[in-house]
Amino acid sequence: MRDDQYAAAMRFIFEAGVLKRAARTGWWFAGVRHPETIAEHCHRTALIGMILAAMEGADPARVTMLCVLHDTQETRTTDLPHIAKRYLTAAPNTTITADQVAGSPPAVTDT
């Protein structure tokens, strides 16, 4: 593996760290003063997904991975409230994720 591929993967890991500081905006609209972060949300989603997948005979590892990654795009678009999506057009999550992991080793870009 090339050094630039390792560097690209490390950039994505660093970028994902932003999610631990970014609060979910929908909770503010509901009056929650200290809403969970996007990272906290993804963690809980991963646990729920893992348990439900195991209970239903799906692949818990795959579901957990999808849950962990499902909001990583918000490092670039922020956590847009549902109502905002009526008025704003954002790139598809798959496009954003592809940009985030571009240049990483195939084991990362192909997942």
Side-chain angles (χ1 to χ4, degrees), residues 17-96:
V18 171
L19 297 174
K20 69 182 181 182
R21 294 189 306 272
R24 297 193 67 220
T25 56
W27 290 114
W28 282 327
F29 292 121
V32 175
R33 287 185 181 185
H34 303 289
E36 67 186 354
T37 67
I38 297 166
E40 290 167 326
H41 161 72
C42 290
H43 177 261
R44 187 163 187 232
T45 300
L47 288 173
I48 292 168
M50 177 190 67
I51 290 167
L52 291 177
M55 291 170 58
E56 294 297 321
D59 180 354
R62 175 83 176 154
V63 172
T64 302
M65 181 188 69
L66 292 171
C67 291
V68 167
L69 295 174
H70 85 280
D71 278 340
T72 58
Q73 307 81 18
E74 292 181 9
T75 60
R76 298 189 178 192
T77 62
T78 71
D79 179 28
L80 297 173
H82 181 71
I83 194 73
K85 293 178 183 179
R86 284 193 201 173
Y87 307 100
L88 301 172
T89 304
N93 283 349
T94 52
T95 300
I96 297 169

Side-chain angles (χ1 to χ4, degrees), residues 1-11 101-109:
M1 209 162 323
R2 299 183 329 254
D3 286 346
D4 60 321
Q5 289 178 318
Y6 282 112
M10 293 305 106
R11 282 192 299 274
V101 299
S104 295
V108 175
T109 60

